Amino acid sequence: MTDTVLEIKNLEASYGSVQALRGVSLSIQEGTIATILGANGAGKTTILKCISGIVDPRKGSIHYLGRAIGGKRADLIVRMGIAHVPEGRQVFPLLSVRENLWLGAYTRTSRVEALEDLEAVYRYFPILKDREKQEAGKLSGGQQQMLAIGRAMMARPSVLLMDEPSLGLSPKLTEEIFTIIRRINRDWGTTILLVEQNASIALQTASHGYVLESGRIVMEGPCEKLFQDEGVQEFYLGQKEETGVERRRWKKTRKWA
Amino acid sequence: MLNEFLQLILSGIAIGCVYGLVALGFVLIYKATEVVNFAQGELMMFGAFIALTMGGLQFMPFWLSVVLAVLAMALIGGAVERAVIRPVLGQPIFSIVMITIGLGFFARGLASLIPGWGTLTHRLPTPYADQTVAFGELVLSAGHLMIILVTIVLCVLLFAFFRYTRMGVAMQAISQNQLAAHYMGIPVARVNTLIWCISAAVAAIAGILLAPITFVHANMGLIGLKAFPAAVIGGFGSIPGAIVGGLIIGIVEALSGRYLPDGIKDVSAYVVLLAVLIIRPNGLFGEKLTKKV
């Protein structure tokens, strides 16, 4: 049996008067990859930002390994073992690749262990070692994404939050990045919460999925089941049924709406 | 003739170093927090006054009173950030800048109320006062030489700090991408307080260096009005730029005071500022990189 590492209950958050989350509950099992699917503006990023302490939740609770972390300071949450790969990579453009990676280890106390992990990160992403001394801002988008992931790995997190790792990458690079995400999960046992617009690859990578719409979870389940689901197929995988013209309506309502 | 010219350059460099140090304070705070602290000159004034008071206690040697004054200013800088600036972070930048301007007025008023400080001009006794050092035919006052030496040492120290220490690199990280710095687990608010400490300490050093030349008085912080263009010339965001900007203004002032008609000296800093901004709108060392929020 696996244990719940991250438990979110009735989470609500808003930006000013705009409510981004309207009562989201999810629970992530240790050592698994979970994914949150949803359109732009559904509130996916806000969930991750609430977990990592960037956005304060208005209501609801977030428990990490049984401890309440909702509204705690971001740096304390990193220290507890939750690292975040932010949307749009957010590398430090004028610092070298190596300095960026070291900053990922900012909360670590053992330099020796951090050095070992640096070598490990270089094994996952050999290109980063080649570019070690280069300014991060001069890397290509794919390399910056690798740097952002490597930087988060440097904290040796037990939970890794990933926000749109495929954003702006070619299909081939996306495939490459997701292979590595699976490897990190397998080799390090890191629990990963993945937010993605590319539903197809997210469902292939994760074991459990949630569908978020306008700040609410409208569906959840094992990824194989979500993959089969008609609504998910139509709205997130962009597939249409091939048969039964008479069944198609011009304006199809979603089952869950 | 040539000697006089070189002499002017040297004293220009010395004063320019002080401008540079105050400008450095502007830049440090601006880079990390995007706040322009217009009370930087007043921090400098306070540093000089504290050194004066401590020196007046007689029982401690000059150097100790200087070190204590700098440490005291570091604490005051941190306290100001914590008490005045942090509560208003997130408000429009303009409001925060107005607050720092108000802080400057407040500090000037406060200084004139404190017994022993007042509105009079004081002389900070230094062991090296009235001494001179001769380089061949050039004669440099020990006060000027001290400014130049201390500035060089301070720049080297700051460079090493930002380049090689964990905290220094974290400060660079905050200035480049504050959000990502949060994600790295850097306690951004605390580091920003520390930046105010460093900035106030640098200002105090500048004040103590300047004291033997301009004396100590409640309005000595107005030198910030010269240091500000120095920071802008340097690109406002570049630490070497701040020092170079200070040097340029110091030298131009010294030369224009001697060779140009009366009054030009006081506006020369701004003339240089305009000229640089017309040629290089980002300043001499300006980063073209735009900051992402």
Side-chain angles (χ1 to χ4, degrees):
Chain A
M1 237 355 248
T2 47
D3 295 324
T4 301
V5 61
L6 206 56
E7 177 95 58
I8 296 177
K9 279 197 187 124
N10 297 325
L11 190 67
E12 288 186 27
S14 48
Y15 299 103
S17 59
V18 184
Q19 196 166 8
L21 297 179
R22 306 158 188 270
V24 169
S25 299
L26 39 98
S27 80
I28 316 286
Q29 308 305 312
E30 189 162 8
T32 62
I33 303 181
T35 184
I36 305 174
L37 306 178
N40 251 339
K44 300 176 306 242
T45 298
T46 310
I47 296 181
L48 296 193
K49 283 188 169 171
C50 282
I51 299 173
S52 44
I54 301 293
V55 170
D56 285 337
R58 226 160 50 99
K59 273 185 193 159
S61 68
I62 306 172
H63 281 84
Y64 166 65
L65 296 172
R67 286 199 280 174
I69 59 166
K72 269 199 194 296
R73 273 197 352 240
D75 57 298
L76 297 178
I77 289 171
V78 177
R79 268 169 215 280
M80 291 169 83
I82 301 179
H84 194 138
V85 182
E87 183 179 9
R89 318 184 236 289
Q90 310 280 355
V91 297
F92 301 109
L94 300 173
L95 295 177
S96 72
V97 167
R98 196 187 166 88
E99 282 169 323
N100 267 273
L101 290 171
W102 266 119
L103 280 165
Y106 185 83
T107 53
R108 304 279 291 263
T109 44
S110 161
R111 200 186 150 80
V112 182
E113 281 172 31
L115 257 177
E116 281 169 15
D117 285 349
L118 182 69
E119 290 309 315
V121 168
Y122 281 157
R123 279 197 297 279
Y124 281 101
F125 305 106
I127 187 83
L128 295 184
K129 185 162 175 74
D130 301 340
R131 303 283 161 100
E132 199 177 44
K133 299 235 157 56
Q134 207 172 342
E135 281 180 12
K138 300 228 164 78
L139 299 180
S140 72
Q143 290 162 358
Q144 287 191 7
Q145 187 62 59
M146 294 177 189
L147 180 57
I149 296 174
R151 192 177 62 173
M153 286 168 73
M154 287 298 290
R156 257 288 171 173
S158 44
V159 174
L160 198 50
L161 310 174
M162 292 199 174
D163 200 346
E164 304 270 2
S166 75
L167 191 75
L169 300 187
S170 69
K172 186 169 166 289
L173 260 173
T174 305
E175 194 61 57
E176 217 175 290
I177 296 269
F178 274 81
T179 307
I180 291 171
I181 292 175
R182 280 187 284 257
R183 274 178 57 201
I184 295 169
N185 168 257
R186 204 180 54 219
D187 301 350
W188 289 21
T190 313
T191 310
I192 295 174
L193 178 54
L194 184 69
V195 154
E196 252 306 334
Q197 288 211 47
N198 185 339
S200 156
I201 196 154
L203 288 174
Q204 286 167 41
T205 307
S207 56
H208 201 83
Y210 296 84
V211 177
L212 190 71
E213 205 161 89
S214 317
R216 283 193 189 89
I217 301 276
V218 290
M219 202 179 192
E220 71 163 295
C223 286
E224 309 89 67
K225 264 182 79 182
L226 290 182
F227 216 92
Q228 309 291 320
D229 185 88
E230 199 182 297
V232 172
Q233 286 204 347
E234 173 148 8
F235 288 100
Y236 295 104
L237 299 170
Q239 289 164 4
K240 293 248 164 88
E241 297 125 17
E242 283 149 31
T243 53
V245 179
E246 67 277 8
R247 277 189 59 204
R248 271 166 69 177
R249 285 186 289 171
W250 287 111
K251 196 175 161 204
K252 183 160 178 164
T253 46
R254 274 162 275 189
K255 277 199 299 192
W256 54 73
Chain B
M1 188 60 197
L2 180 70
N3 253 341
E4 187 195 9
F5 181 75
L6 287 176
Q7 198 81 50
L8 282 170
I9 297 268
L10 273 176
S11 61
I13 288 177
I15 298 300
C17 283
V18 175
Y19 294 154
L21 288 179
V22 178
L24 193 78
F26 278 122
V27 169
L28 283 177
I29 290 178
Y30 176 74
K31 274 192 82 161
T33 61
E34 293 198 338
V35 173
V36 180
N37 171 29
F38 278 102
Q40 199 63 34
E42 277 66 35
L43 290 176
M44 183 194 91
M45 176 265 289
F46 255 72
F49 266 117
I50 292 176
L52 179 77
T53 306
M54 295 208 175
L57 298 178
Q58 298 300 336
F59 60 81
M60 63 173 95
F62 174 73
W63 300 112
L64 185 62
S65 66
V66 167
V67 170
L68 287 180
V70 171
L71 288 179
M73 275 317 292
L75 287 181
I76 291 175
V80 166
E81 194 274 342
R82 197 72 187 72
V84 183
I85 304 298
R86 202 186 291 183
V88 293
L89 279 184
Q91 303 297 325
I93 286 293
F94 183 71
S95 332
I96 305 180
V97 169
M98 289 306 284
I99 285 177
T100 70
I101 293 175
L103 210 59
F105 278 103
F106 174 77
R108 251 175 281 159
L110 187 68
S112 57
L113 284 177
I114 295 177
W117 295 18
T119 49
L120 298 175
T121 297
H122 305 268
R123 191 173 160 276
L124 178 70
T126 57
Y128 53 83
D130 306 327
Q131 291 181 27
T132 54
V133 183
F135 297 97
E137 297 200 358
L138 292 178
V139 180
L140 198 59
S141 83
H144 282 150
L145 188 65
M146 189 61 81
I147 292 176
I148 296 172
L149 290 179
V150 171
T151 304
I152 292 172
V153 170
L154 205 57
C155 287
V156 170
L157 285 179
L158 282 174
F159 174 80
F161 172 74
F162 282 111
R163 193 78 178 72
Y164 299 113
T165 68
R166 201 172 78 118
M167 182 54 75
V169 175
M171 285 175 178
Q172 287 193 60
I174 292 177
S175 81
Q176 289 173 28
N177 190 330
Q178 186 158 329
L179 179 64
H182 279 291
Y183 287 136
M184 298 301 103
I186 299 170
V188 174
R190 284 187 198 179
V191 175
N192 282 346
T193 308
L194 193 62
I195 285 182
W196 273 74
C197 292
I198 295 176
S199 181
V202 170
I205 293 173
I208 295 166
L209 289 171
L210 188 64
I213 296 165
T214 63
F215 302 105
V216 182
H217 53 94
N219 284 331
M220 76 187 285
L222 294 178
I223 196 176
L225 295 179
K226 298 275 177 56
F228 186 72
V232 176
I233 286 174
F236 223 101
S238 158
I239 291 174
I243 298 289
V244 171
L247 291 178
I248 291 174
I249 288 187
I251 293 171
V252 168
E253 261 192 3
L255 294 180
S256 55
R258 170 69 183 79
Y259 297 114
L260 296 176
D262 271 358
I264 303 269
K265 180 181 183 232
D266 292 321
V267 296
S268 59
Y270 306 101
V271 174
V272 176
L273 174 67
L274 280 178
V276 169
L277 287 185
I278 288 167
I279 301 164
R280 285 187 65 107
N282 282 327
L284 295 177
F285 292 74
E287 291 159 5
K288 287 192 192 72
L289 211 82
T290 48
K291 189 159 180 168
K292 288 180 203 150
V293 181

